[in-house]
Amino acid sequence: MSSILPSDAIGRRILCNTEYATVQYVGSVPPTKGIWIGVEWDNPLRGKHDGNHEGIQYFKCRHPTGGSFIRPDKVNFGVGFLTAVKNRYGLNDEQDVAYGKDNVLVLGKKTVELVGFDSILEEQSQLHKLENISVRECAVSHAGQKEEISRTCPNIKSIDLSKNLLSSWETVIDIASQVQNLEILHLSENKMKFPSAATPVSGTFDKLRVLALNRTGITWVEVLLCAPGWPALEELYLASNDITVLERPTNVLQTLKLLDLSSNQLIDGNQLHLIAHLPRLEKLILSDTGISSVHFPDAGFGCKTKMFLSLKHLVVDNNKISQWSFVNELDKLQSLESLNCWNNPLGPEKSPETLRQLIIAKIGQLKFLNKSEILPQERKGAELDYRKMFGNEWLAAGGHQDPDKNRPQEEFLAAHPRYQLLCLKYGAPEEGELKRQQPFTLKNQLLTVTIKCPDKPDQKPMEKKLPDSMTIQKVKGLLYRLLKIPGSELKLSYESSKMEGKEIELDNDLKSLQFYAIENGDCMLVRW
């Protein structure tokens, strides 16, 4: 640890053993002698007081036990960027690298045998060739000598500077200004001071595409003040910061494709309107933000909003979403394809499988739900289930199979915006589908069904009594035993005695006979 006290010590980030802190005071603390450094620890349990000693307030802390006084020789004020790079990649000012014969690498006076890693070590040792550099947790606090980085590492494109001792955005600029082709920059877990007023655009970050500022303490106002300097930014990570209020970005962040606001307490979903017109935003991460509702007022039932026109991926895990109106609103998004919504109190009485079916049925264009692909067969089954599940409610609200009489109340349409569309897609639910289930007895559950093979005239029709809870998959298993035809080759459909001439395909092996509204006297058709 360095015992040299910098002239700009106050406000600097420091490391003491393994604990991080910010310097808040430098000076004497009577009656003791010598210089003390007053620090506010990142971990408030590490301290002993709030900056007050024997009635004198030397500095202030956000937590009553967040402060301590420590001697300068116990403090690490960090190292320059290039020093950290050389230490991380096995080089320093006293060592030269030489390559001998037979896969042998000489580091100073040490000889290391290379076994399969010679190309990697050679690239790492040749700093001027490095494009991707990680100095995470290397106590970097400043840029070092002027132009030293650009001379030594001219080809850097990606830097990981997370969890270091960077105290201000100006320090970041000092480092980045020496990296002409910087595209990716990770700065997470550096508690920094950011500009409080607009600053001149320098061109330092003209090629920057990815920027991570998680756990840096940045606010949204500070983001917008810095954003003019990020003209090509595509991905911005702002998780776990002090962002509670959003403002509309004006002429900034227009190239952004991904925005991560997770673990910021936004709470009010209507704040999202302020970022709804970022033209290229494709992915929005809002996990653990406390949101419970969202509303797109420019679009009515069954219509599409003009907000978030490019949004394809939305992540809202670990929130307080308990109302289905939230899911209904998401169907208004024109481009939404993927939704993650784990750990929300949405229908806690329903099974995960039922919740998945309902969400799929309510968001028509969704292709992935909780990272699992929605296949066409699953969508069809979910939509048919939904159409049947709420059929009686639809009828009670004024729904009708006759299009001229079909006028459901607004209250129903608000709760089920896609129901009318599903009726157009699959037909209005039939009376047989919506009949109330009779009391459970074996007699009531058995259906008498005639089984015919229309393409095999020599095969005589068979009459069987089947439980209405029997799945199509089990029916195929029964037919395999009867006909000796593998179930995978069988194609089933049925004709209802109430709908002459209409053949209904039994295309979902997991559904029951009751689901398809098969009744006594119906005819099951078997083809292979």
Side-chain angles (χ1 to χ4, degrees), residues 365-401:
Q365 70 274 25
L366 211 58
K367 296 180 180 178
F368 289 85
L369 177 56
N370 292 328
K371 299 183 179 180
S372 175
E373 186 176 5
I374 302 167
L375 298 175
Q377 186 175 4
E378 183 183 16
R379 171 163 291 286
K380 183 177 181 180
E383 292 179 341
L384 285 170
D385 273 357
Y386 188 89
R387 168 179 158 275
K388 180 179 178 182
M389 185 182 300
F390 297 99
N392 284 318
E393 191 177 328
W394 172 71
L395 289 172
H400 200 281
Q401 293 176 0

Side-chain angles (χ1 to χ4, degrees), residues 127-395:
L127 296 181
H128 70 280
K129 293 182 180 179
L130 282 178
E131 293 186 0
N132 305 306
I133 285 179
S134 174
V135 284
R136 176 180 169 82
E137 291 189 83
C138 289
V140 177
S141 62
H142 59 279
Q145 295 181 9
K146 190 175 182 179
E147 304 304 326
E148 183 182 35
I149 300 171
S150 56
R151 286 196 305 269
T152 311
C153 305
N155 294 305
I156 299 175
K157 292 183 178 179
S158 171
I159 303 176
D160 186 351
L161 270 165
S162 46
K163 206 168 185 180
N164 276 287
L165 300 179
L166 304 174
S167 301
S168 69
W169 185 248
E170 286 75 13
T171 303
V172 175
I173 293 176
D174 288 344
I175 295 172
S177 62
Q178 300 184 50
V179 184
Q180 294 184 353
N181 298 309
L182 186 62
E183 296 180 6
I184 301 172
L185 181 58
H186 294 275
L187 297 169
S188 299
E189 299 179 90
N190 285 286
K191 288 195 174 182
M192 291 184 286
K193 288 183 179 179
F194 291 89
S196 58
T199 55
V201 177
S202 62
T204 299
F205 301 105
D206 279 357
K207 296 181 181 179
L208 192 66
R209 295 185 299 102
V210 179
L211 177 60
L213 291 168
N214 304 323
R215 297 182 183 275
T216 57
I218 195 169
T219 66
W220 186 251
V221 170
E222 291 166 344
V223 169
L224 297 184
L225 287 172
C226 294
W230 311 329
L233 196 64
E234 296 179 359
E235 299 181 15
L236 180 58
Y237 299 86
L238 298 170
S240 303
N241 282 303
D242 296 327
I243 298 172
T244 56
V245 177
L246 299 177
E247 291 183 19
R248 187 183 300 275
T250 304
N251 300 324
V252 293
L253 303 180
Q254 301 300 296
T255 57
L256 207 60
K257 294 182 179 179
L258 182 153
L259 178 60
D260 183 358
L261 290 169
S262 56
S263 299
N264 290 287
Q265 291 306 297
L266 297 174
I267 300 177
D268 183 4
N270 289 330
Q271 290 236 27
L272 300 180
H273 296 171
L274 298 169
I275 57 171
H277 298 285
L278 292 173
R280 299 185 186 179
L281 188 64
E282 295 181 1
K283 185 170 185 177
L284 181 59
I285 305 174
L286 298 170
S287 301
D288 191 29
T289 55
I291 63 171
S292 59
S293 65
V294 68
H295 179 53
F296 304 114
D298 65 322
F301 308 139
C303 300
K304 298 298 182 182
T305 178
K306 293 182 180 179
M307 299 183 184
F308 294 107
L309 287 177
S310 300
L311 190 66
K312 294 181 180 179
H313 312 282
L314 178 63
V315 181
V316 288
D317 298 330
N318 305 311
N319 278 300
K320 299 177 181 178
I321 302 165
S322 60
Q323 301 297 320
W324 284 104
S325 57
F326 187 100
V327 180
N328 291 339
E329 287 295 304
L330 298 186
D331 187 55
K332 295 180 180 180
L333 295 170
Q334 295 195 26
S335 304
L336 187 66
E337 296 179 355
S338 171
L339 174 67
N340 287 15
C341 58
W342 287 113
N343 197 23
N344 280 286
L346 189 63
E349 74 285 353
K350 293 181 170 61
S351 69
E353 293 78 13
T354 300
L355 286 174
R356 179 177 174 86
Q357 278 196 318
L358 289 171
I359 293 171
I360 291 171
K362 282 178 171 289
I363 307 177
Q365 70 274 25
L366 211 58
K367 296 180 180 178
F368 289 85
L369 177 56
N370 292 328
K371 299 183 179 180
S372 175
E373 186 176 5
I374 302 167
L375 298 175
Q377 186 175 4
E378 183 183 16
R379 171 163 291 286
K380 183 177 181 180
E383 292 179 341
L384 285 170
D385 273 357
Y386 188 89
R387 168 179 158 275
K388 180 179 178 182
M389 185 182 300
F390 297 99
N392 284 318
E393 191 177 328
W394 172 71
L395 289 172

Side-chain angles (χ1 to χ4, degrees), residues 469-484:
S469 60
M470 192 174 194
T471 65
I472 303 303
Q473 189 174 39
K474 289 183 179 179
V475 172
K476 288 182 176 180
L478 172 66
L479 293 171
Y480 168 67
R481 294 192 293 272
L482 295 173
L483 303 174
K484 307 304 179 188

Side-chain angles (χ1 to χ4, degrees), residues 483-503:
L483 303 174
K484 307 304 179 188
I485 304 296
S488 59
E489 298 180 18
L490 295 176
K491 293 182 179 180
L492 306 185
S493 59
Y494 84 96
E495 290 178 336
S496 171
S497 56
K498 294 182 179 180
M499 295 181 287
E500 280 191 38
K502 186 175 182 180
E503 189 173 325

